[in-house]
Amino acid sequence: MNIYCNPINFGYRYQFNDTQKDGVTASREAADPSMVYFKGTYYIFPSMTAGFLHSKDMVNWELFTTTHLPIYDYAPDVRVCGDYLYFCASSHDKGIYYRTTDPFSDTYETFDGAFPFWDPNLFVDDDGRFYFFWGSSTSEPLYGVELDPASMQPIGKKQALCEIDTEIKGFERNGENHKPSHTPEEQAGILAMIESQPMPESMKEAAKNYLLELPYMEGVWVNKHAGKYYLQYATPSSGHNIYNDAVYISDAPLGPYVLAQNNPYSYKPGGFLPGAGHGSTMEDEAGRIWHTSTMRICKNHNFERRIGLWSAGYDADGELFCNQRYGDWPQDMDALKADPWADPKWMLLSYGTSASASSVSEKKIKLDPTAQRMGKTVEIVTDYAPANATDENVQTWWKAASEDEKPWLQIDLGKTYDIHAIQINFADDAFTPDPLPDDFHLNEALMQQRWIDTDPQKTRWLLEGSVDGTHFFTITDKRNANTDLPHDLIVSEDGIEARFIRLTVTKLPYDQTPAISGLRIFGLGDSPKPQKTAEVTFELTTALDLLVNWAASDDATGHVINWGYAPDKLYHSYMTFDDSVEIGGLIKDQSLFLRVDAFNESGITRGDILKVR
């Protein structure tokens, strides 16, 4: 049995960012993954990782450090052409292409491009012709051009391919759940603040676009299937739960492209770790389809992100889909290979359960910077209670007191369960290592000063279980581990009988104070599955927004709302632990069907399919 759980389990590297206001702070980042299958190995090249991931089974990933690629250039692109792996990455200065026959050799040929590019994607067609796509803008379309394979120079003129249209495509609207983060009054204050800063006009324009949350069209990736070309792109921004990948389809590499009916095809606005944008789509060794993309944390830094991997495919009508229904739960890779819509084997047991700890850090209070710009004083209070580790929200966490010499966190499930998987999610809490590492030095990366630490770190802990809360047994002992896995997964195929789970943290990178955003426990209970969701009602509040309500249920842990443009194509999903949800990613005037499923410790009960329009 090959089990994995998003985010992908590897040693996400620390970025040291110069925030100017708060000095240098550290947090982890990996994003914008390009995934390929090359000479018997799977590769993922993410941004800000100073290397690439490699795997033989897409379950166990290892990190290889590179010294000859531009590690501070965002959105690395990789493509396979014959015996070569081609690489390029974003740069405002110049475009350079790299290629190698062996990535582990860390040696590359280079080719100078004809122009600088951002968020690049190289596509090699069946006939050997090269096409190049790029773009990341709130005002410009995505572009494409044919390249000469020998010189990597353009053949002909660039073609504009598709553009943002938030009047038609609701999923392109920015903000959490597609809602603006700032009122018009706050936006005016932000604009005034930016104008007062001593910076170049180009930087002011970029800052305005970002802070005012104008939607981006970026992260292009092209696949070919059954003679059709699938141009995928990310929108509207990686800082929100609705970051997604959408798709256009064409009969030719450079278009014209038309919007696919199933959009956005990669979309994960709910659950523990949301976001599913700026990624890539790949065929494995047997022709099965997989999608990898960026997941959002964005609490310590606006680019604090992780990597997710999901089963995907093309349906009988040629629509590209991606299964993210339980997209951050443990997944059985073998089951997904047989059926890309396979349900998870084990259910979430830890949501809302009782949590205790050896100590709790004092609340953190800071002033809201947006309110400050408006001349107001609004306090933002961060609570580090143990309950944050079971609330299924990656943006909240338990944090121990700094003086705690033996910090532990304990979960009481309320009764004994058959536990099969535990995911330990360590959080970073805007810390600054003291002292800074010896080889620390800042580099330019997307208008920010930063440094990636490639030295191996260590995360060590002891995980124990108990039936009575008094007598504990060891589940996993990593007190002498030499790995650094901030989203580690412990799997027991046979199961562990326990009511209490206790995590004792013994070492963390830079000796920071332990913080846990999720001690997530999965298994099976012996209660009945939940009743079918009752009293489902819906309202189209606009042509792009749907409000769904249902009756609260004592026997359901949570619900997954599924929707799509046909009753047999409910490809989109939103996991929630409430009894209502707002869906803002609709396409104007498109037909719409939905189903509300309920889940608990024992399984999933599907609801009735309802026609909305």
Side-chain angles (χ1 to χ4, degrees):
M1 184 165 52
N2 291 311
I3 304 295
Y4 77 99
C5 187
N6 286 321
I8 292 175
N9 188 16
F10 76 95
Y12 292 81
R13 282 181 165 148
Y14 277 93
Q15 325 292 307
F16 289 66
N17 294 283
D18 185 0
T19 64
Q20 297 183 351
K21 179 182 178 182
D22 298 319
V24 174
T25 61
S27 60
R28 301 177 191 258
E29 178 185 357
D32 319 322
S34 290
M35 181 168 65
V36 295
Y37 182 65
F38 181 59
K39 297 183 178 180
T41 299
Y42 297 98
Y43 295 88
I44 295 179
F45 283 71
S47 292
M48 299 299 132
T49 303
F52 57 81
L53 308 177
H54 58 97
S55 173
K56 292 295 185 180
D57 57 11
M58 290 190 290
V59 172
N60 302 289
W61 294 90
E62 295 184 22
L63 180 57
F64 180 87
T65 301
T66 180
T67 57
H68 292 94
L69 292 176
I71 64 173
Y72 289 96
D73 289 351
Y74 265 100
D77 174 68
V78 289
R79 277 296 175 138
V80 175
C81 181
D83 289 332
Y84 287 100
L85 189 71
Y86 282 77
F87 173 98
C88 58
S90 303
S91 174
H92 287 305
D93 298 324
K94 56 184 177 180
I96 300 178
Y97 303 94
Y98 302 73
R99 76 175 185 180
T100 182
T101 57
D102 178 12
F104 296 105
S105 71
D106 202 25
T107 57
Y108 296 85
E109 296 179 71
T110 61
F111 301 82
D112 288 333
F115 53 88
F117 43 73
W118 204 264
D119 283 10
N121 179 238
L122 177 66
F123 171 73
V124 182
D125 208 344
D126 301 335
D127 58 6
R129 295 171 70 177
F130 279 32
Y131 297 89
F132 188 70
F133 304 88
W134 72 96
S136 177
S137 174
T138 61
S139 57
E140 291 285 316
L142 297 176
Y143 293 103
V145 71
E146 186 174 358
L147 296 182
D148 180 344
S151 66
M152 301 301 284
Q153 297 300 299
I155 299 173
K157 296 181 179 180
K158 70 178 183 180
Q159 303 293 319
L161 303 174
C162 53
E163 297 180 281
I164 290 286
D165 187 348
T166 56
E167 297 296 320
I168 301 296
K169 297 174 285 184
F171 56 84
E172 291 182 341
R173 296 176 300 167
N174 211 346
E176 200 77 359
N177 286 312
H178 303 290
K179 305 293 184 184
S181 300
H182 305 297
T183 65
E185 181 186 22
E186 290 170 340
Q187 290 180 351
I190 291 172
L191 289 173
M193 180 275 296
I194 293 173
E195 285 296 340
S196 68
Q197 299 300 310
M199 62 174 70
E201 287 301 318
S202 60
M203 290 186 64
K204 285 185 179 181
E205 189 65 25
K208 290 177 186 178
N209 292 345
Y210 182 81
L211 291 172
L212 295 179
E213 297 182 317
L214 298 182
Y216 276 83
M217 177 172 272
E218 59 186 14
V220 63
W221 183 270
V222 176
N223 291 93
K224 187 178 184 180
H225 171 74
K228 300 286 186 180
Y229 298 86
Y230 291 75
L231 185 148
Q232 302 142 64
Y233 69 97
T235 189
S237 76
S238 65
H240 296 293
N241 67 321
I242 43 71
Y243 198 36
N244 65 80
D245 282 330
V247 58
Y248 279 74
I249 304 176
S250 176
D251 293 323
L254 297 179
Y257 280 91
V258 297
L259 187 68
Q261 293 192 79
N262 182 50
N263 262 304
Y265 80 96
S266 176
Y267 188 62
K268 187 187 178 301
F272 172 69
L273 188 58
H278 199 144
S280 55
T281 304
M282 177 205 72
E283 281 191 19
D284 67 13
E285 83 285 359
R288 293 173 293 251
I289 307 301
W290 303 88
H291 184 66
T292 181
S293 55
T294 307
M295 307 183 80
R296 182 239 30 204
I297 297 179
C298 298
K299 285 294 289 185
N300 297 292
H301 188 269
N302 60 328
F303 286 152
E304 184 185 20
R305 300 169 294 178
R306 301 293 188 264
I307 303 298
L309 172 66
W310 298 277
S311 58
Y314 302 91
D315 69 14
D317 297 316
E319 292 292 329
L320 180 60
F321 65 80
C322 187
N323 176 16
Q324 291 148 336
R325 284 179 181 162
Y326 299 87
D328 51 35
W329 288 20
Q331 304 287 333
D332 186 337
M333 177 65 71
D334 296 329
L336 291 173
K337 286 181 177 180
D339 176 8
W341 291 102
D343 285 335
K345 295 172 66 71
W346 306 315
M347 309 305 294
L348 178 66
L349 305 177
S350 52
Y351 174 70
T353 54
S354 176
S356 57
S358 57
S359 65
V360 180
S361 179
E362 293 183 1
K363 295 179 180 179
K364 180 170 65 177
I365 301 175
K366 68 176 185 178
L367 296 179
D368 185 336
T370 300
Q372 283 184 297
R373 288 190 285 267
M374 303 299 299
K376 302 176 182 178
T377 300
V378 177
E379 291 184 343
I380 300 175
V381 180
T382 302
D383 190 323
Y384 297 110
N388 291 342
T390 64
D391 67 356
E392 285 294 291
N393 181 355
V394 74
Q395 291 188 322
T396 66
W397 45 81
W398 161 74
K399 184 180 179 182
S402 59
E403 66 273 11
D404 192 342
E405 296 183 354
K406 192 177 180 181
W408 55 262
L409 173 69
Q410 181 171 297
I411 307 298
D412 178 1
L413 297 175
K415 64 178 183 179
T416 300
Y417 282 96
D418 186 19
I419 297 170
H420 287 273
I422 301 171
Q423 188 191 45
I424 305 171
N425 296 273
F426 287 89
D428 299 303
D429 192 52
F431 71 99
T432 301
D434 185 19
L436 289 167
D438 292 338
D439 51 349
F440 167 80
H441 60 281
L442 290 172
N443 300 271
E444 287 287 345
L446 191 57
M447 297 183 293
Q448 298 184 54
Q449 293 279 328
R450 68 173 57 193
W451 176 65
I452 302 172
D453 189 357
T454 59
D455 284 346
Q457 302 296 323
K458 297 180 180 65
T459 294
R460 293 174 171 173
W461 43 261
L462 173 66
L463 187 68
E464 300 172 288
S466 173
V467 173
D468 58 10
T470 301
H471 304 91
F472 281 81
F473 56 88
T474 298
I475 298 175
T476 303
D477 188 346
K478 286 200 171 183
R479 287 176 293 183
N480 294 310
N482 291 318
T483 54
D484 175 29
L485 301 172
H487 303 281
D488 211 351
L489 181 68
I490 298 89
V491 175
S492 173
E493 186 171 353
D494 295 332
I496 302 165
E497 296 296 317
R499 169 177 171 172
F500 299 88
I501 299 295
R502 184 170 66 195
L503 174 70
T504 303
V505 183
T506 58
K507 181 173 179 55
L508 289 176
Y510 318 112
D511 296 322
Q512 63 183 293
T513 302
I516 303 293
S517 60
L519 184 53
R520 308 174 70 217
I521 304 168
F522 298 86
L524 292 171
D526 56 8
S527 63
K529 292 183 180 181
Q531 296 294 312
K532 183 185 293 186
T533 309
E535 300 178 34
V536 178
T537 61
F538 53 83
E539 177 187 1
L540 282 165
T541 55
T542 76
L544 306 176
D545 299 279
L546 177 68
L547 174 63
V548 186
N549 292 275
W550 54 91
S553 174
D554 292 334
D555 66 353
T557 302
H559 294 81
V560 173
I561 297 81
N562 309 272
W563 71 96
Y565 70 91
D568 60 342
K569 299 179 187 293
L570 305 184
Y571 296 149
H572 314 300
S573 61
Y574 195 136
M575 178 182 286
T576 182
F577 298 92
D578 297 323
D579 54 12
S580 68
V581 72
E582 288 186 86
I583 297 167
L586 305 182
I587 297 175
K588 185 179 180 181
D589 297 332
Q590 188 181 54
S591 59
L592 181 61
F593 296 81
L594 71 86
R595 187 187 74 222
V596 181
D597 299 342
F599 65 86
N600 66 8
E601 62 188 34
S602 300
I604 302 165
T605 302
R606 283 170 169 71
D608 296 323
I609 297 175
L610 304 174
K611 182 176 181 179
V612 178
R613 66 182 177 198

